């Protein structure tokens, strides 16, 4: 459909349920009106507006200007106020309901594909798909994104291997390790900031995850294993996070983020990295110069890689000797390929409970697809996870995934000269490279350039996370339209919980194993990266693609309650932890859990208009 041309005189027939009436207007600007059913008139430039609601119908009878009424855009959540027979036309003609990114149009699906009587079924299917998207984010980040990021760090000599300076270990922890752990949060924030309508979802998710981690997770660690926190790292991280929250609060107050402001977020994180490095250097120097140093009962944060190494060595001792072949043998190429694509570990399968097996079966399809499209480089193994047939196949599938997930496949489906698609060119180039690598390498010996596959795997896994995060944001927005919920409450609940659940289980498990200080330090270190890089990078990418200033529209009172609750929880921990001489026990954990439940209750009551502030 087009738009009214300037200077045309048009007859507009409005069906009001009785005899149609004719109105004459002239000199109109271009517009796309809601409630459009089809074109009429001799010029093909006239709309038939069917079944207008009563207020608009009365406005027409009073002679309200045609262009002024039709230029108004109704919020998408008002679709539930319409008659069920008008849901589909409202969604398809309202600009506020259009979704730019993503592979699936969830609004069109729930209001046009499913009949209104099957709306509960559609919501249930969407909830299951949302759960699976969170699983995709977790599996991709844990098993593909982080290992390749660690391999890149090793190649850049930043992984803190024995004999390397401690500076490398610090940089690895606060950059690569933080990026790997916070990838789902950061990508979700970047996707949400790409659309002004979902910017509140990003702020709500980052603030919601922050208050969840600093209350529920930190309190859970204190309940599971009371401990004495490391004083200097805690105070440093708490101060930086309070500054980051205050800066974001100011951005919400002014209603926009400019280019210097976005660069300031990234600059603040660089300053944080430098502070961590300098503080670690000073602390180690003081320990060396000290006459006597009492050994700690548990390792510091800097020895996290050693703990990981000891865990992997124990696993190797359990399984390595038992299943190691007596004589070396040359595996066939087809056997290597089928073995590499096997997602099940039969040794664990026999020992695990039924619920673990059910979860493994549930995530098996996505793991198979990821194994097929994302190479993994493991510098800790002898062959560095070199799988010759599969890695050759990755030269075709990984670039194909990157081009088909970029801009939701818009670039990949583009045809050169209107004839040959881009994805076809990628397949041809990838096939040529795969044949060259296959005939110039061996099964047992990785090539010298095998480290480059880590960069390819990093890029492919990042594109998978970006695509999954886009679908998560779109489906959350759809659920918000269905239930008439704000983006803020969806961000501080579903998105924050989904992105934080993996860290919650891993940190609580770490605390049970006797490392509560390490788990507690990870609570603050991760969310600092998420908020500074998530907001800074998300706004910066939005500025480079569309506008110079990112507008922030807080969802009324709820956003200020969220920001205030997060700031108050940080102040509480900042005061109470030193007051307890940094010894965190069960009382501290119970207080934090009660605080989060109280905040969540107030937030939900505010969302459902039980608590209101009429002056806002």
């Amino acid at each position: 459909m087009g738009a009214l041309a300037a200077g045309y005189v048009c007859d507009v027939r409005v069906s009001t349920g009785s005899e149609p009436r004719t109105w004459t207007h002239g000199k109109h600007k271009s517009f796309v009106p809601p409630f459009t059913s089809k074109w009429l008139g001799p010029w093909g430039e006239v709309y038939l507006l069917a079944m207008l609601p009563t207020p608009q119908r009365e406005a027409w009878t009073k002679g309200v200007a045609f262009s002024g009424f039709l230029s108004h855009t109704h919020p998408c959540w008002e679709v539930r106020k319409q008659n069920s027979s008008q849901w589909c036309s409202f969604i398809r003609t309202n600009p506020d309901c259009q979704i730019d990114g993503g592979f699936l149009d969830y609004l069109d699906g729930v209001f046009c594909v499913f009949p209104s009587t099957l709306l509960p079924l559609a919501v249930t299917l969407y909830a299951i798909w949302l759960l699976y998207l969170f699983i995709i984010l977790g599996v991709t980040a844990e098993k593909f994104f982080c290992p390749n990021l660690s391999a890149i760090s090793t190649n850049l000599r930043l992984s803190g291997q024995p004999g390397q300076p401690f500076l490398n270990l610090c940089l690895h922890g606060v950059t690569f390790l933080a990026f790997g752990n916070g990838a789902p949060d950061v990508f979700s924030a970047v996707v949400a900031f790409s659309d002004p309508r979902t910017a509140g979802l990003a702020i709500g998710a980052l603030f919601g995850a922050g208050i969840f981690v600093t209350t529920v997770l930190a309190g859970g660690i204190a309940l599971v294993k009371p401990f004495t926190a490391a004083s200097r790292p805690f105070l440093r991280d708490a101060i930086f996070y309070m500054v980051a929250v205050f800066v974001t609060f100011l951005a919400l107050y002014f209603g926009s983020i400019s280019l210097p402001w976005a660069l300031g977020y990234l600059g603040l994180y660089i300053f944080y990295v430098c502070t961590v490095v300098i503080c670690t250097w000073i602390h180690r120097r003081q320990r060396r110069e000290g006459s006597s140093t009492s050994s700690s009962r548990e390792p510091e944060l800097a020895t996290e890689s050693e703990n990981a190494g000891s865990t992997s060595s124990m696993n190797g001792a359990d399984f390595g000797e038992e299943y190691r072949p007596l004589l070396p043998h040359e595996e066939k190429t087809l056997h290597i390929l089928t073995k590499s694509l096997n997602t099940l570990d039969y040794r664990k399968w026999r020992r695990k409970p039924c619920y673990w097996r059910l979860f493994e079966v549930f995530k098996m399809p996505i793991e198979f697809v990821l194994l097929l499209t994302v190479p993994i480089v493991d510098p800790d193994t002898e062959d560095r996870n070199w799988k010759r047939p599969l890695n050759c196949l990755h030269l075709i599938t990984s670039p194909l995934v990157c081009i088909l997930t970029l801009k939701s496949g818009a670039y990949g489906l583009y045809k050169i000269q209107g004839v040959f698609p881009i994805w076809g060119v990628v397949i041809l180039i990838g096939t040529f490279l795969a044949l060259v690598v296959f005939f110039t390498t061996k099964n047992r010996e990785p090539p010298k350039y095998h480290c480059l596959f880590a960069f390819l795997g990093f890029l492919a896994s990042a594109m998978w996370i970006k695509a999954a995060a886009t679908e998560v944001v779109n489906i959350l927005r759809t659920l918000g339209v269905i239930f008439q919920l704000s983006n803020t409450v969806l961000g501080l609940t579903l998105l924050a919980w989904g992105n934080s659940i993996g860290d919650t289980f891993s940190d609580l498990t770490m605390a049970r194993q006797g490392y509560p200080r390490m788990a507690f330090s990870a609570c603050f270190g991760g969310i600092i990266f998420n908020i500074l890089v998530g907001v800074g990078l998300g706004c910066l990418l939005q500025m480079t693609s569309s506008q110079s200033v990112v507008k922030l529209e807080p969802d009324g009172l709820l956003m200020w309650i969220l920001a205030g609750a997060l700031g108050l929880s940080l102040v509480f921990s900042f005061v109470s932890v030193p007051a307890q001489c940094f010894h965190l026990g069960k009382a501290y954990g119970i207080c934090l859990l009660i605080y989060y439940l109280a905040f969540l209750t107030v937030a939900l009551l505010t969302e459902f208009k039980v608590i209101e502030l009429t002056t806002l």
Side-chain angles (χ1 to χ4, degrees):
M1 291 187 299
L4 282 178
Y8 278 11
V9 176
C10 55
D11 291 334
V12 182
R13 294 182 178 271
V14 182
S15 176
T16 61
S18 57
E19 182 179 357
R21 301 185 61 180
T22 302
W23 301 87
T24 303
H25 299 271
K27 300 285 185 182
H28 297 296
K29 296 181 179 181
S30 299
F31 62 93
V32 180
F35 311 107
T36 302
S37 58
K38 68 176 186 178
W39 292 92
L40 292 177
W43 302 286
E45 303 264 353
V46 182
Y47 289 96
L48 174 65
L49 306 179
M51 297 302 295
L52 290 176
T54 301
Q56 285 83 353
R57 193 183 309 159
E58 294 175 354
W60 270 95
T61 59
K62 294 179 182 179
V64 175
F66 177 69
S67 59
F69 161 68
L70 290 179
S71 62
H72 175 67
T73 300
H74 293 262
C76 191
W77 56 267
E78 289 188 3
V79 62
R80 295 297 303 277
K81 295 183 178 180
Q82 311 298 321
N83 190 285
S84 60
S85 61
Q86 296 178 330
W87 284 357
C88 186
S89 59
F90 184 94
I91 289 295
R92 290 180 173 176
T93 57
N94 193 338
D96 190 54
C97 298
Q98 306 308 310
I99 299 177
D100 298 328
F103 295 93
L104 300 176
D105 192 340
Y106 298 101
L107 285 171
D108 188 84
V110 72
F111 291 111
C112 296
V113 176
F114 287 90
S116 58
T117 55
L118 294 181
L119 183 62
L121 175 61
V123 172
T124 303
L125 294 177
Y126 279 15
I128 295 174
W129 176 231
L130 179 64
L131 175 63
Y132 201 71
L133 285 172
F134 281 125
I135 293 176
I136 293 175
L137 286 172
V139 170
T140 308
E142 178 185 359
K143 295 188 176 182
F144 296 87
F145 188 79
C146 288
N148 284 309
L149 202 59
S150 179
I152 293 174
S153 175
T154 300
N155 292 325
L156 297 177
R157 302 187 184 279
L158 294 177
S159 59
Q161 298 295 329
Q164 294 183 8
F166 80 95
L167 177 60
N168 294 347
L169 179 60
C170 296
L171 291 176
H172 173 73
V174 296
T175 54
F176 287 92
L177 186 60
F179 187 28
N181 294 335
D185 304 83
V186 172
F187 279 102
S188 298
V190 169
V191 171
F193 274 116
S194 63
D195 190 338
R197 296 171 297 183
T198 56
L201 187 66
I203 298 295
L206 292 173
F207 276 7
I211 193 172
F212 179 85
V213 169
T214 56
T215 55
V216 176
L217 182 51
I221 293 172
L223 286 174
V224 169
K225 188 80 171 179
F227 66 101
T228 301
S231 57
R232 281 172 292 201
F234 167 77
L235 295 176
R236 178 198 64 210
D237 293 344
I239 290 174
F240 269 96
Y241 191 56
M242 284 191 290
V243 171
V245 171
F246 180 73
V247 171
T248 309
F249 181 86
L250 290 179
L252 289 172
Y253 178 79
F254 292 113
S256 63
I257 295 180
S258 59
L259 179 60
W261 203 286
L263 294 176
Y265 273 95
L266 300 179
L268 182 59
Y269 186 73
I270 294 175
F271 179 62
Y272 169 72
V273 172
C274 296
T275 304
V276 171
V277 172
I278 294 174
C279 290
T280 306
W281 178 79
I282 293 175
H283 179 60
R284 291 206 172 192
R285 184 175 179 179
Q286 290 177 347
R287 291 183 61 182
R288 286 196 304 264
E289 294 177 352
S291 58
S292 61
T293 304
S294 59
S295 59
S296 178
R297 293 185 178 180
E298 58 174 320
E300 296 289 339
L301 183 62
T303 61
E304 181 176 356
S305 59
E306 299 174 5
N307 297 326
S310 62
T311 303
S312 62
S313 64
M314 287 190 296
N315 293 336
D318 291 339
F319 305 115
E321 296 294 336
E322 180 181 357
Y323 293 93
R324 184 175 298 172
L326 296 178
L327 297 175
H329 67 283
E330 184 74 23
E331 289 184 300
K332 295 183 179 180
T333 301
L334 183 60
H335 181 262
I336 294 176
L337 179 61
T338 56
K339 184 179 178 181
S340 302
L341 292 175
N342 184 19
T343 60
L344 288 178
D345 188 343
Y346 297 105
R347 296 169 293 183
K348 291 183 178 180
W349 182 269
R350 296 196 303 265
R351 307 178 183 183
K352 294 295 183 177
C354 294
Y355 68 87
W356 184 90
R357 298 181 184 182
L358 181 62
F359 181 70
E360 286 296 313
V361 172
F362 193 61
K363 68 179 183 179
M364 188 185 301
I366 184 59
E367 283 192 352
F368 176 79
V369 174
L370 289 171
L371 284 173
L372 194 63
T373 56
V374 182
I376 304 175
V377 178
D378 187 0
D380 296 329
T381 59
E382 185 178 355
D383 62 350
R384 291 179 291 178
N385 200 41
W386 167 249
K387 311 294 182 184
R388 177 168 166 252
L390 183 59
N391 288 144
C392 292
L393 188 61
H394 285 150
L395 293 174
I396 303 175
T397 58
S398 294
L400 195 61
V401 164
C402 294
I403 196 67
L404 290 179
T405 54
L406 190 64
K407 289 291 183 181
S408 302
Y411 292 145
L413 299 177
Y414 176 78
K415 293 184 178 180
I416 302 175
Q417 298 295 327
V419 177
F420 201 74
I422 294 294
W423 61 264
V425 176
V426 173
I427 289 179
L428 290 178
I429 298 176
T431 303
F432 172 75
L433 294 176
L435 291 175
V436 171
V437 172
F438 185 81
F439 289 109
T440 57
T441 57
K442 299 179 181 180
N443 288 335
R444 298 182 58 184
E445 183 180 352
K448 295 181 178 180
Y449 52 82
H450 184 223
C451 59
L452 297 178
F453 280 85
F455 292 90
L456 180 62
F458 168 78
L459 182 61
S461 57
M463 295 305 296
W464 271 114
I465 295 175
K466 175 71 160 52
T470 302
E471 300 304 312
V472 167
V473 170
N474 289 341
I475 200 171
L476 285 178
R477 181 169 181 262
T478 301
L479 293 177
V481 171
I482 295 174
F483 296 107
Q484 300 183 16
L485 298 174
S486 65
N487 287 327
T488 302
V489 75
L490 290 172
L492 69 92
T493 54
L494 295 180
L495 188 55
W497 295 341
N499 288 335
S500 303
I501 193 68
D503 293 336
T504 301
F505 283 115
S506 61
D507 288 344
L508 290 179
T509 302
M510 190 184 303
R512 289 194 197 97
Q513 293 176 350
Y515 306 105
R517 294 177 66 186
M518 187 187 304
F520 188 75
S521 299
C523 292
F524 287 89
I527 54 179
I528 292 175
F529 177 87
N530 294 344
I531 190 171
L532 291 178
V533 178
V535 177
L537 185 61
C539 294
L540 196 61
L541 292 178
Q542 173 67 5
M543 294 173 190
T544 57
S545 60
S546 59
Q547 52 191 0
S548 58
V549 176
V550 176
K551 298 292 184 181
L552 300 178
E553 298 179 358
D555 292 324
L557 179 63
L558 181 59
M559 182 63 77
W560 305 116
I561 290 177
L562 175 58
L566 178 57
L568 186 60
S569 69
L570 292 175
V571 172
F572 171 75
S573 294
F574 187 76
V575 174
S576 63
V577 172
Q580 302 174 78
C581 298
F582 297 94
H583 180 73
L584 307 182
K586 293 185 178 181
Y588 173 75
I590 293 174
C591 289
L592 290 181
L593 294 180
I594 293 175
Y595 180 86
Y596 183 78
L597 291 177
F599 152 74
L600 194 61
T601 302
V602 173
L604 294 178
L605 291 177
T606 304
E607 174 65 21
F608 294 114
K609 307 301 180 183
V610 178
I611 298 177
E612 289 186 288
L613 188 61
T614 57
T615 57
L616 287 182

